[in-house]
């Protein structure tokens, strides 16, 4: 895929266990010629976990993209009027963010970026990572599945025996899902069997 001349908004929410998996994906976008604008939720900016410190993840994002991180609602709001992003991907997209997006709540930089992208009628791609995808959040995912200009990175159950409600996208195919979304298409099959 040739991403020359394309601007990708890459938003990250607080599924910290997935960060290591998505950093190489961001690098792939850059290596393919895309300009990548990093956007993060408040949790990413403030929380250290066993998967790494907030500062280390911020540094990786800046080093890979060469761009400053959008980390406030005020910084994200101009993405609408500027029509900067050809595609916005939220990866990982937590159950919390899915719920808020499905119910029109705009209380984080990532959700403001999503609102700005939807305002412009441009593709928004979600790479879900939630322990509640087949629980209470199933209704929110269903709302987003039928929403205009919203696409999903193919996803499946990551641990059906121990976490039967958990759904996680196949992060390695985020660029392919974004490319399809720019063409106005949902990458198929959307529901997959995950082998990790």
């Amino acid at each position: 895929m040739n991403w020359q001349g394309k601007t990708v908004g890459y938003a990250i929410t607080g599924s910290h266990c997935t960060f290591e998996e998505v950093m190489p994906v961001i690098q792939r976008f850059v290596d393919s010629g895309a300009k990548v604008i990093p956007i993060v939720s408040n949790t990413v900016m403030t929380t250290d976990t066993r998967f790494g410190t907030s500062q280390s993840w911020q540094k990786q994002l800046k080093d890979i993209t060469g761009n400053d991180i959008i980390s406030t609602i005020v910084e994200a709001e101009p993405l609408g009027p500027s029509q900067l992003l050809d595609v916005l991907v939220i990866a990982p997209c937590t159950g919390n963010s899915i719920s808020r997006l499905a119910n029109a709540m705009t209380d984080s930089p990532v959700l403001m970026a999503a609102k700005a992208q939807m305002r412009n009628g441009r593709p928004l791609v979600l790479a879900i990572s939630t322990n509640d995808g087949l629980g209470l959040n199933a209704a929110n995912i269903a709302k987003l599945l039928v929403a205009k200009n919203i696409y999903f990175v193919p996803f499946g159950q990551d641990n059906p025996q121990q976490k039967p409600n958990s759904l996680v996208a196949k992060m390695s195919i985020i660029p392919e899902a974004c490319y399809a979304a720019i063409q106005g298409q949902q990458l198929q099959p959307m529901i997959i069997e995950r082998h990790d």
Side-chain angles (χ1 to χ4, degrees), residues 3-10 29 33-38 67 79 83-89 117 122-123 182:
W3 287 91
Q4 285 290 341
K6 299 291 187 189
T7 301
V8 176
Y10 200 104
F29 276 117
K35 177 181 180 181
V36 178
I37 306 298
N67 289 307
L79 292 172
Q83 299 190 18
L84 177 66
L85 307 179
D86 293 293
V87 63
L88 171 64
V89 58
Q117 188 75 348
R122 293 189 174 181
I182 288 175

Side-chain angles (χ1 to χ4, degrees), residues 177-194:
C178 289
Y179 192 80
I182 288 175
Q183 316 304 315
Q185 298 176 358
Q186 169 62 54
L187 186 64
Q188 298 290 346
M190 185 177 62
I191 299 175
I192 58 171
E193 186 173 353
R194 283 182 48 103

Side-chain angles (χ1 to χ4, degrees), residues 138-159:
N140 295 314
I141 292 171
K143 284 174 74 173
L144 297 173
L145 283 171
V146 297
K148 187 176 180 182
N149 297 320
I150 295 181
Y151 303 88
F152 283 77
V153 177
F155 59 87
Q157 290 176 283
D158 58 305
N159 190 345

Side-chain angles (χ1 to χ4, degrees), residues 90-154:
I90 305 176
C93 185
T94 62
N96 187 39
S97 293
I98 290 164
S99 173
R100 293 176 182 283
L101 182 62
N103 291 285
M105 296 176 69
T106 309
D107 60 356
S108 79
V110 170
L111 294 171
M112 176 56 80
K115 178 181 176 182
Q117 188 75 348
M118 290 186 291
R119 157 196 160 149
N120 292 330
R122 293 189 174 181
L124 171 62
V125 179
L126 307 178
I128 61 177
S129 180
T130 173
N131 287 326
D132 194 33
L134 294 176
L136 289 175
N137 239 327
N140 295 314
I141 292 171
K143 284 174 74 173
L144 297 173
L145 283 171
V146 297
K148 187 176 180 182
N149 297 320
I150 295 181
Y151 303 88
F152 283 77
V153 177

